[in-house]
Amino acid sequence: MSEPSEREAPSGGNDTQRLPVVMEKDPGGTSGGGLDQSRSSAAYDPVPVLDEDAGGRAGRFWSVRRTPAVLVALAVLAVAGPLLYDIAAVRADRPAMRWRRGLAHWLARHTVDDAVVLTCAGAAVAVGIWLVVLAVTPGLRDLLPMRRPSAGVRAGLDRSAAALVLRDRAMEVPGVQSVRVRMGRAKVAVRAVSHFRELDDVRADLDAALGAGIKELGLAGQPGLSVHVGRAARKR
C-alpha cells in the first residue's frame, strides 16, 4: 500500500520546498518561442546508477487502474447476468426473454459483411486492444522511480516536482531571465532565456547546476540533459 511522503528539495536557494514523494513498502514544460537564432545545447552524461543488487531493483510503479476495472466488471455483469438468467429460464421450460428472441432474429437478417456488424466488431476489437495495453503496461508515467537503498522500501518522485526543482536551480544561475524545464523519464529538456552574459558561459553554468541537481534527485535511472540558451526577441 502506498502512502504520500515529503522530501526536502536539494539545497541551492533561499527557500526550502517540499517535494511530493511516494514511498511504498515492498512485501518481498514544453518548449517556448521568443528566442533568436543564437542558442546553444549540450548533452549531459548520466551518472551511473548505484548497484541495485544491494537494495533491490527500482522498477516503475504499476497503476491499479480502478476505473477500467470497474467499467469492465459492470459491463460483464450487465451482459452476463441477464444472459445467464435467460438460459436458466429456458432450461426450466420457460420461453426465452423477448430481447434474446429479437436479437436472434436481427442476427439472422444481417450477414457478417453488414456495415453495422463490422462497426460493432471494430468497436469490440478496439476495446480489447485497450484492455490488453492496460494489462501489459505499468502506467503512472508522471511518477519517476527513485533508487532503493533498502529492498523493503520503494520511493517515487513526481515528475512535475522534479522539473520545478531543476527550474529553481536554473533560475539561480546569473544571467538567466526565464527558463522552462520539460522532465522526461530519459531526458530533461531545458530552454532558458539570458538577458546578459555570454550564452556559452550561461550554458556552462546551467550544465553544472542542473547536472548536480539531477544527481541529487536520487532517481533510479538518471536522465540525460539537453540545454538550450538564447536571447529574448527584441520588441519592435
Side-chain angles (χ1 to χ4, degrees):
M1 180 176 181
S2 60
E3 57 184 11
S5 179
E6 293 181 344
R7 177 173 178 240
E8 292 187 0
S11 59
N14 295 328
D15 297 333
T16 300
Q17 298 182 358
R18 297 284 184 176
L19 301 186
V21 177
V22 174
M23 299 190 67
E24 180 182 85
K25 292 184 179 180
D26 197 340
T30 60
S31 59
L35 303 181
D36 60 8
Q37 298 298 323
S38 178
R39 59 182 63 174
S40 59
S41 63
Y44 168 70
D45 294 331
V47 178
V49 182
L50 297 180
D51 186 9
E52 294 180 348
D53 295 336
R57 183 174 180 80
R60 288 180 58 187
F61 289 82
W62 281 76
S63 173
V64 293
R65 294 188 173 100
R66 295 185 179 90
T67 300
V70 170
L71 294 178
V72 172
L74 292 177
V76 171
L77 181 62
V79 174
L83 182 59
L84 291 176
Y85 174 81
D86 190 57
I87 293 175
V90 172
R91 292 288 183 178
D93 296 331
R94 293 186 179 183
M97 298 180 68
R98 182 178 300 177
W99 66 268
R100 194 154 73 99
R101 295 197 302 267
L103 179 61
H105 292 309
W106 185 89
L107 292 176
R109 294 193 307 269
H110 293 78
T111 59
V112 179
D113 58 350
D114 191 83
V116 178
V117 176
L118 293 177
T119 301
C120 296
V125 170
V127 173
I129 294 176
W130 175 61
L131 294 176
V132 170
V133 171
L134 291 180
V136 300
T137 55
L140 295 180
R141 298 176 60 87
D142 291 336
L143 197 59
L144 302 175
M146 303 177 69
R147 288 194 295 266
R148 300 183 65 180
S150 174
V153 178
R154 296 183 62 200
L157 180 62
D158 186 76
R159 187 186 299 184
S160 60
L164 182 60
V165 171
L166 297 180
R167 177 186 176 277
D168 292 342
R169 280 294 189 97
M171 289 300 298
E172 296 174 358
V173 174
V176 175
Q177 183 179 16
S178 62
V179 63
R180 294 183 180 181
V181 178
R182 170 182 263 179
M183 187 75 187
R185 296 198 310 271
K187 184 178 180 181
V188 181
V190 180
R191 193 177 186 91
V193 176
S194 176
H195 57 301
F196 70 94
R197 297 182 68 198
E198 294 293 332
L199 295 181
D200 291 338
D201 295 338
V202 176
R203 178 186 56 79
D205 290 345
L206 284 174
D207 288 340
L210 295 177
I214 291 176
K215 296 177 186 178
E216 294 176 1
L217 290 178
L219 300 178
Q222 298 289 341
L225 176 62
S226 176
V227 178
H228 299 267
V229 182
R231 300 292 186 191
R234 295 181 179 178
K235 297 181 180 181
R236 295 181 181 180

